[in-house]
Amino acid sequence: MTQVEIQEPELGGVPGPPQRRSLLDKLFELRARQTTIGREVRGGVTTFVAMAYIVLLNPLILGASADITGARLSAAQVTTATALAAAVMTVLMGLVGNAPLALAAGLGINGIVAFQMAPSMTWPQAFGLVVLEGVCIVLMAVSGVRERIMNAIPRPLKMAITVGIGLYIALVGLVSAGFVTRMPDSAQTTVPVRLGAGGHLHGWPIAVFCFGLLLMVVLVARKVPGAVLISIGVATVLAVVLHEGFGVGGWGLTTPALPDHVVAAPDFGLFGHIDLFGGFASAGALAATVFLFTLVLSGFFDAMGTITSVSDEAGLSKNGKVPRMGRILLVDGAGAIAGGVTGSSPNTVFLESAAGVGEGARTGLASVVTGLLFAGTLLFTPLAGVVPAQAAAPALVVIGGMMVAQCRHIPWHDPDYTIPVFLTAALIPFTYSITNGVGAGLIAFVLIKLGRGKWREAGWLLSLLALVFAVYFAIDGVEALFR
């Protein structure tokens, strides 16, 4: 029970007058968690620096794909949406969940929206499904279904999804930078992709990418705070110098030209442009349902793991349970809803929150600080338009590599998991589809269990999910039956 007043002893052992708690102490339980305002502010700033790159990367990922009509999202609008959603949801996490957890557009999940959903529907319809994802997560958090599904899917398959997404976003980064390119006609060649534009690396844009990647690798290895953001900034400055000073071109969609204004009014053009159920008509009911399931699956598993690990590091877990977990999960679900409404893709808890915890953050006050800093970036959206893909893409490669590190926890020696884990991790990047990887892995796992006479271990829930994915893979044949 939190004490409202604390007795402070005076000289001679006589109790002094009760010391009243400050408003911040009452809101965030600073004394109970043995922290100070200074530590929380420092932790909040550190978390912001560690994850501010998402304001630059999210427009790169969402802007790399067109929807079914050929429309592309405005970089300025996505930047505003990204900063707005991160600011609001991170402050909300601090006030409601009182946890040092920051939220922003989830890497990997935004890839589902950009490369899987958008080509099958319009952007408003895709963001409508994102809102429905958030509603599903909130309902599951309230009803307890979230925990049931989490317990049903084996941990090795969960880790395989993380590994596959890591490979996936790394490949997106390599392709965006031009380090890897698709062969014009892979059917006539021995490989579907190649190094650079002609089998070799050449040109200053590629040099900027390589420089940024190597710098980021060194800074991350040395555990420099804000390593990702620093590397993006240095590489961007180099790109601007090359473009403005020496006329270097060939940067792709974003040219590193100095903006006319550093400060500008935020562009809220994407806010509220959602079509909740239109995606079911555009992509088909079954495909849209599978997209929705994949969003939910990726979103709440990543969040659950992050919440648990960061809370443990902060020393907040008690008997294996995180205080206010119900509230934290509700805010996380609301983050997906906010991501759809703003047009930034699903927002979720970021692992970079651990950077702030390392600097002393223990309460939601740190999250409030981080959220306010994100709000400040709304005025500097023109700067995001300066960052070329070659400067931002190294972050995708490095973060993808960190996600692949989950491989060390996978029981490769167990025949029940070897092939399902491999299919999950491999098909996600090979087919540019998280949905395909998750589906193939679940189907293989259930079939292996059935084939070895362990049908009880598969369970009815996983068997049902495997059946849904089987229909998804055979959707063309299923549709043909009803023509």
Side-chain angles (χ1 to χ4, degrees):
M1 181 179 296
T2 303
Q3 295 180 348
V4 177
E5 296 181 340
I6 300 175
Q7 297 285 341
E8 293 289 345
E10 293 182 340
L11 293 177
V14 179
Q19 183 180 10
R20 294 191 177 277
R21 298 168 60 195
S22 66
L23 177 61
L24 291 179
D25 190 22
K26 292 178 182 178
L27 285 175
F28 301 108
E29 303 175 356
L30 299 178
R31 292 193 182 189
R33 299 191 183 184
Q34 299 179 344
T35 185
T36 64
I37 294 176
R39 290 178 184 174
E40 296 303 305
V41 171
R42 185 170 67 248
V45 172
T46 301
T47 295
F48 171 77
V49 172
M51 61 182 289
Y53 65 84
I54 191 62
V55 179
L56 305 176
L57 282 188
N58 200 41
L60 172 66
I61 294 174
L62 293 183
S65 180
D67 70 5
I68 194 171
T69 67
R72 291 182 180 271
L73 297 177
S74 162
Q77 291 179 347
V78 177
T79 301
T80 297
T82 304
L84 174 63
V88 173
M89 296 315 304
T90 302
V91 169
L92 192 62
M93 177 64 79
L95 296 176
V96 176
N98 193 22
L101 300 169
L103 289 82
L107 284 173
I109 306 177
N110 53 7
I112 301 174
V113 177
F115 302 110
Q116 302 305 312
M117 295 168 58
S120 302
M121 60 190 73
T122 66
W123 286 111
Q125 291 168 350
F127 290 132
L129 283 182
V130 170
V131 172
L132 293 179
E133 175 219 347
V135 172
C136 289
I137 291 179
V138 169
L139 292 177
M140 285 190 293
V142 172
S143 64
V145 173
R146 184 172 188 175
E147 285 75 13
R148 290 193 63 182
I149 295 179
M150 184 156 184
N151 292 333
I153 296 182
R155 187 166 181 264
L157 287 185
K158 298 174 191 174
M159 291 184 288
I161 295 172
T162 301
V163 171
I165 291 176
L167 293 170
Y168 177 42
I169 66 173
L171 181 58
V172 169
L174 293 171
V175 171
S176 298
F179 192 89
V180 170
T181 59
R182 182 179 65 85
M183 296 295 287
D185 185 3
S186 59
Q188 303 299 321
T189 61
T190 57
V191 294
V193 294
R194 60 186 174 183
L195 186 68
H200 301 281
L201 299 178
H202 60 85
W204 282 107
I206 296 296
V208 169
F209 168 77
C210 293
F211 169 76
L213 179 60
L214 294 175
L215 175 62
M216 193 175 299
V217 167
V218 172
L219 294 181
V220 169
R222 292 179 62 89
K223 299 182 179 180
V224 175
V228 173
L229 191 61
I230 292 172
S231 303
I232 292 176
V234 173
T236 298
V237 171
L238 177 59
V240 170
V241 170
L242 290 172
H243 175 74
E244 297 285 0
F246 300 94
V248 173
W251 300 98
L253 295 176
T254 303
T255 301
L258 291 174
D260 296 331
H261 305 284
V262 175
V263 178
D267 187 343
F268 297 101
L270 293 177
F271 188 88
H273 285 198
I274 57 174
D275 182 351
L276 285 178
F277 302 104
F280 291 88
S282 295
L286 181 59
T289 300
V290 173
F291 284 143
L292 180 59
F293 167 74
T294 304
L295 285 175
V296 173
L297 185 73
S298 301
F300 77 65
F301 282 144
D302 287 350
M304 185 69 74
T306 301
I307 291 168
T308 302
S309 61
V310 174
S311 298
D312 287 342
E313 187 171 347
L316 300 180
S317 298
K318 299 178 180 178
N319 299 321
K321 296 182 179 180
V322 179
R324 302 193 182 189
M325 176 60 91
R327 296 186 182 185
I328 291 173
L329 293 178
L330 283 176
V331 175
D332 178 67
I337 297 175
V341 172
T342 59
S344 63
S345 80
N347 277 232
T348 188
V349 176
F350 259 53
L351 188 58
E352 282 79 359
S353 302
V357 169
E359 288 295 323
R362 296 293 183 270
T363 74
L365 178 57
S367 296
V368 172
V369 172
T370 303
L372 292 177
L373 290 173
F374 269 116
T377 63
L378 286 169
L379 299 176
F380 299 94
T381 52
L383 292 179
V386 179
V387 183
Q390 291 78 6
L396 294 177
V397 178
V398 171
I399 293 169
M402 294 177 178
M403 297 174 71
V404 172
Q406 290 289 335
C407 274
R408 67 185 185 276
H409 300 303
I410 295 174
W412 293 104
H413 63 281
D414 191 335
D416 286 354
Y417 296 110
T418 304
I419 298 302
V421 163
F422 170 75
L423 289 175
T424 300
L427 288 182
I428 288 176
F430 288 171
T431 66
Y432 247 56
S433 170
I434 297 173
T435 305
N436 292 344
V438 174
L442 279 176
I443 291 174
F445 176 76
V446 171
L447 286 178
I448 288 174
K449 288 295 186 182
L450 294 178
R452 300 187 67 187
K454 300 179 179 180
W455 61 272
R456 290 184 182 275
E457 294 183 13
W460 69 269
L461 183 55
L462 283 188
S463 300
L464 178 61
L465 295 178
L467 180 60
V468 170
F469 275 114
V471 174
Y472 166 74
F473 285 125
I475 187 63
D476 287 341
V478 173
E479 290 180 345
L481 293 176
F482 295 95
R483 290 174 186 168

